[in-house]
Amino acid sequence: MIEIKVRRHGKTRKVSVKGHAKKGNDIVCAAVSCITCAFLEVLEENGKLIEKSIESGNVEFVFEGMKESENFYLTGIEMLLSEYPEDMRVDIMENS
């Protein structure tokens, strides 16, 4: 199970992506990784990435601003979730 948590506090966001899809659904892991890495690149290029930690099966990062890019990222994640609900869980919390 891939767990994606987004914590919003003002303009700051903390994102955690942990875990793996069930065996045989490597495409889900690859898709989440691709979308997340592309989002991180956009944040870095725009000077909005505050911190990041990347390990196998675990990515955490903090950023500020970039509402349009955040919406794009979450739309991609939600599209994957609708296709593979047994492999993913997404939790978005405001002001946490």
Side-chain angles (χ1 to χ4, degrees):
M1 171 78 61
I2 300 170
E3 294 186 28
I4 301 169
K5 294 181 181 179
V6 179
R7 303 294 180 252
R8 295 175 172 157
H9 187 73
K11 292 183 179 183
T12 303
R13 308 289 189 256
K14 180 175 183 179
V15 179
S16 171
V17 182
K18 296 182 179 182
H20 294 281
K22 69 181 179 181
K23 189 171 183 162
N25 276 355
D26 294 340
I27 190 136
V28 180
C29 287
V32 170
S33 294
C34 184
I35 293 170
T36 301
C37 288
F39 185 46
L40 283 169
E41 185 68 22
V42 168
L43 292 172
E44 283 185 305
E45 287 177 2
N46 287 279
K48 299 295 184 176
L49 186 62
I50 297 170
E51 65 182 70
K52 72 176 175 180
S53 171
I54 300 174
E55 300 173 11
S56 178
N58 185 18
V59 176
E60 293 185 2
F61 58 98
V62 178
F63 69 97
E64 67 178 9
M66 301 293 292
K67 183 175 178 152
E68 292 81 14
S69 295
E70 177 187 359
N71 289 342
F72 186 83
Y73 174 68
L74 292 177
T75 297
I77 294 297
E78 289 170 358
M79 289 174 69
L80 286 169
L81 178 63
S82 71
E83 291 293 319
Y84 302 98
E86 66 281 355
D87 290 305
M88 299 175 62
R89 184 176 332 159
V90 178
D91 181 26
I92 301 172
M93 293 184 67
E94 299 286 337
N95 296 317
S96 58

